[in-house]
């Protein structure tokens, strides 16, 4: 269900804090101890859905990352080829091809060999106890 909210951002030009109008979506139903929800921003989903190359396959990897890899308000995560192969039922070649697309298009950023981060303002990870903060506005 989409929720309209205000997202505080820092202007790279002036350093002032601005409020960006945003629409976020609740994604996934995991109830692990440190995470109850992942909210995905409309602008991110819109860019993904308009990108035929991403929707042709790499979106499955992105959906796995959004639903299983994010914890405690962090957008960085560890991901190995073997884990993706096992969880998604794909080949290593497919994993690396999809990963390459997501990196090249800027949806992901490589930090180290098996450590990645989503681009900023992609998603918010949080606990249901704190969801009111994200639904204000």
């Amino acid at each position: 269900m989409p929720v309209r909210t205000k997202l505080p951002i820092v202007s790279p030009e002036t350093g002032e804090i601005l409020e960006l109008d945003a629409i976020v979506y609740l994604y996934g139903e995991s109830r692990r101890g440190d995470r109850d929800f992942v909210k995905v921003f409309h602008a991110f989903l819109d860019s993904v859905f308009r990108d035929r190359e991403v929707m042709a396959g790499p979106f499955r990897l992105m959906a796995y990352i959004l639903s299983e890899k994010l914890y405690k308000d962090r957008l960085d995560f560890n991901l190995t080829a073997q884990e993706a192969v096992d969880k998604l039922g794909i080949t290593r070649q497919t994993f690396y091809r999809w990963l390459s697309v997501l990196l090249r298009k800027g949806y992901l950023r490589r930090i180290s060999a098996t450590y990645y981060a989503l681009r900023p303002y992609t998603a918010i990870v949080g606990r249901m106890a704190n969801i009111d903060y994200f639904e204000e506005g």
Side-chain angles (χ1 to χ4, degrees):
M1 173 168 85
V3 175
R4 291 190 180 278
T5 190
K6 298 279 188 185
L7 177 67
I9 64 166
V10 177
S11 168
E13 290 85 26
T14 66
E16 77 178 303
I17 298 175
L18 307 171
E19 284 195 343
L20 174 71
D21 288 323
I23 300 173
V24 292
Y25 291 84
L26 188 62
Y27 182 84
E29 297 185 22
S30 176
R31 297 289 183 244
R32 292 193 292 257
D34 60 356
R35 167 187 104 154
D36 288 330
F37 68 86
V38 176
K39 283 194 166 193
V40 181
F41 290 97
H42 181 270
F44 168 73
L45 285 179
D46 189 52
S47 68
V48 168
F49 291 150
R50 290 175 187 266
D51 190 327
R52 289 184 180 173
E53 186 178 15
V54 172
M55 290 306 295
F59 184 72
R60 281 188 57 209
L61 180 58
M62 181 62 72
Y64 171 69
I65 291 166
L66 290 170
S67 65
E68 299 295 327
K69 300 303 294 182
L70 304 179
Y71 300 96
K72 294 187 178 181
D73 297 327
R74 297 185 61 114
L75 296 179
D76 54 334
F77 55 93
N78 186 57
L79 178 65
T80 65
Q82 191 59 53
E83 175 187 359
V85 165
D86 292 344
K87 295 287 186 174
L88 298 174
I90 58 176
T91 66
R92 286 176 96 71
Q93 180 182 8
T94 297
F95 166 74
Y96 285 114
R97 187 175 64 250
W98 289 357
L99 180 63
S100 174
V101 169
L102 295 174
L103 290 167
R104 179 172 39 82
K105 300 263 184 175
Y107 295 114
L108 296 179
R109 173 173 60 89
R110 180 171 299 189
I111 297 173
S112 67
T114 61
Y115 205 72
Y116 304 90
L118 289 172
R119 72 179 184 197
Y121 307 112
T122 299
I124 295 173
V125 182
R127 297 187 47 74
M128 292 304 283
N130 302 329
I131 198 166
D132 290 341
Y133 170 79
F134 299 111
E135 291 184 344
E136 291 176 356

